[in-house]
């Protein structure tokens, strides 16, 4: 890893020193097709003609894991003056000036702030992206979903001469002396059973058997794609048996249950998650589908589940800050212990919107407790009540919620609060999954909706 270092914006045509380390991010293009602020308000009285915002940009990045929310941003630069919605050929460089001590390159974080003024007080967008890669060059495109208006998109590239961590094995020691001249049987070895789907011999998409602890078989769904193999550790869907995910104790979630399969209802088990996440460095991908439409693909790096003694606390680094498991409301799911309503280890239960949604209204709610989860923000629960498919509409009508008072299978896709200022957004997806992988996340096709079909 790099030492703590901050990358500050510099002129686009800066030169690279002939010797020494370098790391640079090139911001190639920014697209704001809506031509609006983040709150949906148009930037121009001529928005009806497709006129957009005159945009200022601030950018800062780090390759060391520094919390960019705590970094003072550099002065903004103006990147367009004629109300274009797309700024192409931007070619703005964000460059690391502090590479005095480097162990290896393992990825980086980039924060981009867009505004309509030099102080960026009128925000178009503000986001942090995390790119996990050991490649010395690469490109990446990120789409920032914005509540109630069209998304913004940024296209970047990066370049470095910093080598990745070495994977060269240490050679076996040699011995000298009188050679052994006796006889002995030829040793036999038994191949190690696969701990995850990537180790299954001749793996194809389908239900396979893996051995997270090396001995105990567990059935999982393996998804073999053109960019790598996924091990699916949780899924919800309308295919197969609609089993209950609602149990009273955390211990009820320790072992696997349900039926592995694409679109099935399945839980890998907290103990299996703990054991497997200690074997390798995994990333977690969450896919959210409404009908056959892909709503979001969220990625989290360095996924870990703690021991039963610590109630299977979750830890990871979000690819995109402020959404999904990284959504913040006095806490995050990423730093939370696993809880059920009766076996509670989360934020204050009486302020948890998963169970208290609309508790202040006389004629509706509060919600019924359903499903164990890492209730750090109380804005998510992929183990919630699975509503029947509603022909591509995943919004739970208030009258439906009032009848059964269950929030459903939900995951935050924006950083703003939901209806009425609550931490939940009344979305219940009808096909979701949590899947672990070890390949380079930058190779993933973020528009791939094959899981939803």
């Amino acid at each position: 890893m790099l030492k703590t270092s901050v990358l500050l914006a510099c002129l686009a045509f800066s030169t690279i020193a002939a010797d020494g380390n370098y790391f640079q991010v090139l911001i190639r293009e920014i697209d704001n097709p809506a031509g609006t602020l983040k709150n949906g308000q148009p930037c121009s009285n001529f928005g009806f003609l497709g006129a957009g915002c005159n945009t200022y940009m601030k950018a800062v990045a780090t390759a060391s894991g520094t919390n960019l929310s705590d970094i003072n941003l550099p002065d903004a630069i103006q990147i367009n003056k004629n109300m274009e919605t797309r700024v192409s050929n931007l070619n703005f460089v964000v460059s690391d000036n502090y590479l005095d001590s480097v162990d290896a390159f393992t990825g980086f974080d980039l924060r981009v702030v867009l505004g309509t003024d030099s102080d960026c007080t009128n925000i178009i967008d503000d986001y942090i992206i995390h790119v996990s890669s050991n490649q010395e060059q690469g490109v990446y495109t990120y789409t920032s979903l914005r509540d109630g208006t069209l998304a913004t998109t940024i296209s970047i590239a990066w370049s470095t001469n910093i080598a990745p961590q070495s994977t060269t094995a240490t050679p076996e020691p040699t011995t000298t002396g009188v050679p052994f001249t006796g006889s002995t049987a030829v040793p036999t070895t038994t191949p190690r059973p696969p701990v995850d789907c990537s180790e299954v011999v001749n793996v194809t998409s389908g239900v396979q058997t893996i051995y997270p602890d090396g001995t105990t078989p567990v059935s999982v769904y393996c998804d073999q794609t053109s960019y790598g193999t996924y091990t699916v550790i949780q899924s919800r869907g309308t295919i197969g048996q609609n089993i209950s995910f609602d149990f009273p104790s955390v211990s009820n979630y320790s072992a696997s249950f349900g039926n592995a399969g694409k679109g099935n209802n399945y839980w890998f088990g907290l103990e299996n998650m703990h054991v497997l996440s200690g074997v390798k460095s995994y990333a977690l991908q969450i896919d959210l589908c409404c009908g056959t439409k892909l709503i979001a693909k969220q990625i989290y790096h360095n996924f870990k589940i703690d021991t039963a003694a610590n109630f299977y606390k979750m830890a990871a680094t979000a690819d995109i800050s402020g959404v999904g498991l990284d959504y913040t409301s006095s806490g995050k799911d990423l730093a939370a212990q696993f809880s059920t309503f009766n076996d509670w280890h989360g934020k204050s239960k009486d302020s948890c919107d998963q169970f208290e949604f609309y508790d202040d209204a006389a004629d509706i709610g509060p919600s019924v407790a359903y499903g164990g989860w890492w209730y750090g923000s109380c804005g998510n629960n992929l183990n919630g009540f699975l509503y029947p498919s509603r022909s591509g509409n995943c919004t739970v009508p208030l009258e439906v919620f009032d009848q059964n008072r269950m929030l459903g299978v939900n995951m935050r896709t924006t950083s703003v609060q939901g209806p009425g200022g609550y931490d939940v957004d009344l979305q219940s997806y009808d096909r979701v999954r949590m899947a672990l992988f070890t390949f380079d996340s930058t190779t993933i096709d973020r528009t791939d909706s094959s899981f939803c079909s």
Side-chain angles (χ1 to χ4, degrees):
M1 285 293 290
L2 305 180
K3 288 180 62 179
T4 300
S5 59
V6 176
L7 310 173
L8 298 177
C10 69
L11 293 177
F13 297 103
S14 61
T15 59
I16 299 172
D19 55 356
N21 292 330
Y22 72 86
F23 174 77
Q24 294 182 321
V25 176
L26 179 70
I27 302 177
R28 306 164 68 195
E29 180 177 283
I30 289 177
D31 187 13
N32 175 17
T36 65
L37 300 174
K38 189 173 183 178
N39 62 13
Q41 295 299 311
C43 296
S44 166
N45 293 329
F46 298 97
F48 68 95
L49 295 175
C53 310
N54 287 333
T55 304
Y56 290 79
M57 180 182 72
K58 299 181 179 182
V60 63
T62 177
S64 65
T66 303
N67 187 348
L68 293 183
S69 298
D70 299 333
I71 298 298
N72 292 326
L73 291 164
D75 292 338
I77 64 163
Q78 188 166 12
I79 61 176
N80 69 319
K81 297 181 179 180
N82 297 301
M83 295 186 289
E84 307 98 320
T85 57
R86 174 180 292 180
V87 185
S88 302
N89 298 318
L90 179 57
N91 292 340
F92 183 82
V93 174
V94 181
S95 185
D96 188 346
N97 298 322
Y98 302 98
L99 295 178
D100 55 335
S101 179
V102 177
D103 293 329
F105 177 69
T106 58
F108 61 93
D109 297 280
L110 171 70
R111 183 181 180 189
V112 175
V113 179
L114 304 173
T116 61
D117 56 286
S118 59
D119 294 328
C120 290
T121 54
N122 295 314
I123 293 293
I124 298 171
D125 223 332
D126 181 355
Y127 47 77
I128 298 174
I129 62 177
H130 176 80
V131 177
S132 178
S133 176
N134 60 7
Q135 301 299 309
E136 294 183 12
Q137 290 86 33
V139 296
Y140 185 85
T141 299
Y142 165 59
T143 298
S144 173
L145 299 179
R146 305 195 297 166
D147 192 33
T149 186
L150 293 177
T152 63
T153 298
I154 181 173
S155 174
I156 67 172
W158 74 89
S159 179
T160 183
N161 64 352
I162 305 167
Q165 291 177 335
S166 173
T167 58
T168 303
T170 303
E172 293 293 330
T174 59
T175 59
T176 60
V178 178
F180 176 69
T181 58
S183 62
T184 184
V186 177
T188 59
T189 59
T190 301
R192 187 187 74 169
V195 299
D196 61 21
C197 289
S198 70
E199 296 185 1
V200 174
V201 178
N202 298 323
V203 64
T204 58
S205 294
V207 178
Q208 307 283 353
T209 300
I210 63 173
Y211 302 79
D213 63 0
T215 58
T216 307
V218 182
S219 293
V220 298
Y221 183 80
C222 298
D223 187 10
Q224 177 63 35
T225 70
S226 60
Y227 34 87
T229 307
Y230 292 95
T231 302
V232 179
I233 62 172
Q234 188 264 10
S235 62
R236 307 295 303 278
T238 56
I239 299 175
Q241 185 181 5
N242 185 5
I243 62 172
S244 173
F245 271 61
D246 188 28
F247 298 103
S249 174
V250 170
S251 62
N252 295 122
Y253 295 85
S254 294
S256 63
F257 58 82
N259 302 300
K262 181 179 178 180
N264 287 2
N265 291 285
Y266 173 77
W267 180 252
F268 186 55
L270 291 168
E271 192 61 31
N272 288 329
M273 294 181 194
H274 161 65
V275 172
L276 187 59
S277 66
V279 174
K280 299 179 183 179
S281 178
Y282 287 97
L284 169 70
Q285 179 173 306
I286 292 178
D287 292 87
L288 307 175
C289 307
C290 183
T292 58
K293 180 181 180 182
L294 176 66
I295 302 300
K297 197 182 293 283
Q298 301 174 349
I299 295 175
Y300 307 86
H301 305 275
N302 301 316
F303 174 79
K304 296 287 185 183
I305 297 297
D306 211 331
T307 63
N310 203 19
F311 301 105
Y312 302 106
K313 183 178 180 179
M314 180 194 291
T317 301
D319 189 40
I320 308 301
S321 64
V323 300
L325 302 177
D326 197 60
Y327 173 75
T328 304
S329 177
S330 75
K332 299 180 180 182
D333 294 5
L334 289 180
Q337 296 175 323
F338 198 86
S339 294
T340 68
F341 187 80
N342 296 324
D343 191 1
W344 189 252
H345 312 286
K347 65 184 289 186
S348 175
K349 190 188 299 184
D350 60 6
S351 66
C352 181
D353 288 344
Q354 288 290 335
F355 310 130
E356 300 296 327
F357 185 62
Y358 279 156
D359 61 326
D360 52 357
D363 57 345
I364 193 167
S367 48
V368 174
Y370 193 100
W373 189 254
W374 297 271
Y375 291 114
S377 68
C378 281
N380 308 303
N381 181 12
L382 293 185
N383 290 339
F385 177 75
L386 181 67
Y387 280 91
S389 181
R390 299 183 300 283
S391 301
N393 181 7
C394 286
T395 300
V396 181
L398 288 178
E399 59 271 19
V400 173
F401 170 77
D402 198 22
Q403 290 173 1
N404 59 29
R405 294 179 294 147
M406 294 182 181
L407 286 172
V409 178
N410 50 81
M411 177 68 55
R412 297 307 311 267
T413 59
T414 65
S415 59
V416 298
Q417 289 182 310
Y422 290 91
D423 294 319
V424 294
D425 57 12
L426 276 188
Q427 296 293 309
S428 182
Y429 301 108
D430 45 23
R431 180 176 287 193
V432 303
R433 73 171 179 181
M434 302 170 65
L436 300 183
F437 64 93
T438 57
F439 52 84
D440 188 339
S441 66
T442 62
T443 64
I444 295 173
D445 179 2
R446 304 213 172 211
T447 65
D448 179 7
S449 60
S450 58
F451 169 69
C452 303
S453 61

